[in-house]
């Protein structure tokens, strides 16, 4: 026998067992986004490599070592998108979405990063993200965070903590960068290899190091938030005030930096202690310079991206409490004539009851084996049609999730009677 071909490491199938949880999440998230006036945008999974180099930044982890980049048959360098914002901004510029207008947009889909696979970290993973363009004030930052709070409510997720920081303006970051480098140079012997390398390329990312031996050094480092200009200070204060007024608790974390270069002013993350080391389920912030950097007119912007796998992992724990819908009924068909008539009957029922989820048995087999399948399908009711029932113009009906005798309904009355049967046959 030929050797089985396996999926690529770090890339996973979503099996039918798990898809209801994903659909529940996607439906709820979409519902919340729509309530705030955000509209969906879909962009290609492949983009020119240049797009990510110019937006995410040359010396970030993503661009340096995580991108799936290849040459296509024309010799163009293409990359599987590692995140969604760059593509959305590119599409917005290309289609004139930012000309004298604000845009509230959201997107979803697979992203690709060649990272070391582990729990909560994959090479193909999924993000759902939101972006607001054309609004510069802290009010929209507040709105974006309120959307996330409502998402957690809609999903029934509790215990997430909001962490907040500000990265100031580009000039403030440059001045701070020097201050930070001076400090770190003085303690060079305490830096690990990775951080020494970053000292020259991307020193702010050292603050993000997970190395426990460097935490004391990082704690004592100068903080950007203490060296803000008036404008940045006012923006951050406005954000904090808005969150206070909306009753959203947060923790200011001066070490919070993001792994992408385009962020400035507001940055935030929602974190949980329940997922081990990969505890950030949502991350975002303001990126006022990016549209211009990619060739558009100056356009302020703020957004976030959520890691779907991590949110699903949280939902998994409370799966039993979620309204995940099973099939309603399974139609058991005994004999050739019943099989033919049953197929028609099922179609007729689906036409009459638009909400009905009905599985028709295919492939014949014994009564026992068909009932076994009915049971395994998760349906609440079995409908039974055999030659005897056909002759008498009735259909058998039996609850599957709790005890009860099989009963009969006249075929003409089935569509009318079924909804009531389904209501009383709710899962015990
Ligand atoms: P991390 O610090 O966990 O690597 P990041 O800063 O690289 O995250 P972003 O690029 O901001 O993350 O992505 C937003 C969210 O997408 C993350 O908070 C996380 O929930 C999710 N995410 C990022 N990378 C992965 C991955 N490789 N596998 C699964 N989820 C991911
Ligand atoms: Mg990362």
């Amino acid at each position: 026998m030929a050797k089985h071909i396996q999926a690529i490491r770090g890339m996973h199938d979503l099996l039918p067992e798990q898809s209801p949880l994903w659909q529940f999440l996607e439906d709820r998230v979409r519902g919340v986004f729509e309530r705030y006036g955000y509209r969906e945008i879909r962009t290609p999974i492949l983009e020119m490599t240049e797009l990510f180099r110019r937006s995410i930044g040359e010396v970030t982890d993503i661009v340096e070592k995580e991108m799936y980049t290849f040459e296509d048959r024309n010799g163009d360098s293409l990359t599987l998108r590692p995140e969604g914002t760059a593509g959305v901004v590119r599409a917005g510029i290309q289609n004139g979405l930012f000309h004298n207008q604000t845009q509230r947009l959201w997107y979803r889909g697979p992203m690709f990063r060649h990272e070391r696979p582990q729990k909560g970290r994959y090479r193909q993973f999924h993000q759902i993200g939101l972006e607001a363009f054309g609004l510069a004030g802290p009010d929209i930052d507040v709105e974006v965070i309120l959307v996330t709070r409502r998402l957690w409510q809609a999903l029934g997720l509790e215990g997430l903590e909001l962490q907040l920081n500000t990265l100031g303006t580009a000039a403030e970051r440059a001045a701070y960068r020097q201050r930070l480098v001076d400090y770190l140079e003085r303690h060079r012997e305490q830096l690990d290899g990775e951080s020494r390398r970053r000292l020259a390329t991307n020193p702010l990312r050292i603050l993000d190091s997970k190395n426990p031996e460097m935490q004391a050094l990082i704690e004592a480092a100068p903080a950007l938030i203490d060296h803000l200009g008036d404008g940045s200070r006012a923006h951050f204060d406005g954000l904090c005030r808005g969150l206070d007024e909306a009753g959203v608790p947060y923790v200011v974390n001066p070490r919070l930096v993001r792994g992408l270069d385009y962020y400035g002013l507001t940055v935030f993350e929602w974190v949980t202690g329940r997922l081990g080391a990969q505890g950030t389920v949502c991350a975002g912030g303001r990126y006022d310079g990016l549209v211009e950097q990619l060739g558009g007119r100056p356009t302020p912007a703020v957004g976030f991206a959520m890691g779907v796998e991590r949110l699903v992992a949280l939902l998994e724990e409370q799966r039993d409490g979620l309204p995940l819908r099973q099939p309603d009924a399974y139609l058991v068909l005994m004999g050739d004539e019943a099989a033919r008539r049953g197929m028609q009957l099922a179609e007729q029922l689906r036409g009459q009851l638009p909400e009905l989820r009905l599985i028709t048995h295919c492939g014949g087999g014994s009564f026992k084996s068909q009932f076994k399948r009915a049971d395994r399908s998760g349906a609440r009711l079995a409908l039974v049609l055999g030659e005897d029932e056909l002759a008498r113009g009735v259909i058998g009906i039996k609850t599957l999730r709790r005890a009860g005798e099989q009963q009969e309904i006249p075929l003409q009355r089935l569509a009318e009677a079924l909804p009531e049967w389904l209501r009383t046959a709710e899962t015990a």
Side-chain angles (χ1 to χ4, degrees):
M1 213 169 71
K3 191 164 167 269
H4 291 181
I5 296 173
Q6 304 284 315
I8 295 167
R9 189 165 122 83
M11 307 203 179
H12 296 282
D13 304 306
L14 176 65
L15 299 176
E17 264 298 289
Q18 302 155 313
S19 60
L21 216 51
W22 282 64
Q23 289 163 348
F24 167 78
L25 181 139
E26 288 164 354
D27 290 350
R28 289 285 162 101
V29 170
R30 176 176 157 187
V32 169
F33 286 171
E34 284 174 352
R35 294 185 64 193
Y36 288 81
Y38 287 78
R39 299 180 302 157
E40 186 176 8
I41 181 166
R42 300 188 187 190
T43 65
I45 289 172
L46 275 176
E47 297 274 2
M48 304 297 288
T49 303
E50 187 60 16
L51 175 67
F52 302 114
R53 291 189 168 285
R54 271 169 59 187
S55 55
I56 297 168
E58 292 281 355
V59 291
T60 56
D61 283 352
I62 294 177
V63 171
E64 275 185 339
K65 52 190 186 197
E66 295 175 359
M67 294 203 305
Y68 282 89
T69 296
F70 63 94
E71 272 192 11
D72 77 356
R73 290 169 193 279
N74 304 327
D76 292 327
S77 180
L78 307 184
T79 294
L80 282 166
R81 65 181 181 197
E83 56 96 57
T85 301
V88 171
V89 169
R90 195 240 347 108
I93 296 170
Q94 187 174 339
N95 295 285
L97 301 188
F98 306 141
H99 289 175
N100 303 317
Q101 48 191 326
T102 58
Q103 290 287 351
R104 285 178 166 82
L105 305 174
W106 69 275
Y107 63 85
R108 63 174 146 193
M111 307 294 162
F112 303 83
R113 298 183 192 176
H114 196 274
E115 306 199 62
R116 193 169 65 80
Q118 53 197 291
K119 183 171 180 278
R121 196 174 288 289
Y122 311 101
R123 290 182 173 173
Q124 174 176 315
F125 61 100
H126 296 77
Q127 288 185 336
I128 305 180
L130 170 155
E131 322 280 3
F133 293 96
L135 297 159
D139 50 352
I140 187 69
D141 300 17
V142 173
E143 175 181 288
V144 160
I145 289 172
L146 290 179
V147 172
T148 56
R149 177 178 64 170
R150 194 168 292 281
L151 287 174
W152 315 145
Q153 284 167 356
L155 295 170
L157 293 178
E158 281 166 9
L160 294 174
E161 180 184 272
L162 174 61
Q163 298 193 357
L164 215 58
N165 192 20
T166 174
L167 299 179
T169 63
E172 287 156 14
R173 271 197 305 287
Y176 168 73
R177 180 186 157 119
Q178 196 49 53
R179 209 183 284 268
L180 180 66
V181 170
D182 291 346
Y183 166 84
L184 293 171
E185 288 282 10
R186 284 200 300 279
H187 302 89
R188 202 180 169 83
E189 73 293 343
Q190 294 179 49
L191 295 178
D192 57 22
E194 178 73 6
S195 302
R196 278 188 200 169
R197 201 177 58 78
R198 281 187 166 148
L199 202 51
T201 55
N202 198 349
L204 265 65
R205 283 289 285 175
I206 297 175
L207 299 175
D208 201 26
S209 164
K210 309 282 187 288
N211 184 347
E213 283 165 21
M214 284 181 35
Q215 292 314 306
L217 181 70
I218 290 170
E219 279 297 318
L224 175 50
I225 199 166
D226 299 326
H227 299 93
L228 294 175
D230 291 345
S232 298
R233 185 81 246 169
H235 190 98
F236 192 65
D237 290 345
L239 169 62
C240 293
R241 196 178 330 112
L243 293 175
D244 291 337
E245 284 167 4
V248 183
Y250 55 86
V251 177
V252 176
N253 175 2
R255 319 288 159 216
L256 183 67
V257 290
R258 311 275 319 108
L260 304 90
D261 271 0
Y262 51 62
Y263 287 107
L265 294 174
T266 309
V267 286
F268 66 90
E269 288 191 1
W270 285 94
V271 296
T272 171
R274 283 188 284 154
L275 293 176
Q278 266 53 256
T280 302
V281 296
C282 173
R286 184 162 275 284
Y287 53 96
D288 290 343
L290 184 60
V291 176
E292 192 178 12
Q293 197 178 311
L294 290 176
R297 303 182 194 178
T299 307
V302 57
F304 63 78
M306 300 182 283
V308 177
E309 282 80 359
R310 295 184 193 179
L311 288 172
V312 167
L314 286 178
L315 285 176
E316 194 76 51
E317 294 174 15
Q318 57 191 61
R319 187 184 185 110
D320 290 346
L322 298 178
L324 306 178
R325 241 185 111 190
Q326 301 275 29
D328 294 318
Y330 191 103
L331 179 56
V332 171
L333 297 168
M334 296 304 300
D336 292 345
E337 178 65 11
R340 273 197 305 279
R341 295 276 294 278
M343 194 60 90
Q344 292 164 29
L345 173 69
E347 273 306 278
Q348 201 183 328
L349 280 174
R350 292 189 189 99
Q352 288 165 307
L353 303 171
E355 296 286 306
L356 180 68
R357 299 183 174 204
L358 172 65
I359 301 177
T360 309
H361 182 82
C362 288
S366 72
F367 192 73
K368 201 174 155 205
S369 71
Q370 292 197 33
F371 250 87
K372 207 181 251 174
R373 288 215 195 158
D375 203 41
R376 256 191 290 169
S377 76
R380 277 172 287 162
L381 290 178
L383 299 173
V384 183
L385 196 64
E387 264 148 46
D388 173 49
E389 281 84 7
L390 270 181
R392 292 187 293 120
V394 298
I395 190 162
I397 186 163
K398 187 178 184 316
T399 59
L400 288 170
R401 303 293 139 210
R402 48 172 211 219
E405 290 297 299
Q406 182 169 319
Q407 298 188 32
E408 281 181 357
I409 307 179
L411 271 170
Q412 285 105 332
R413 284 204 50 241
L414 181 57
E416 191 189 317
L418 206 47
E420 185 54 29
W421 268 87
L422 285 168
R423 261 192 296 281
T424 54
E426 284 300 332
T427 327

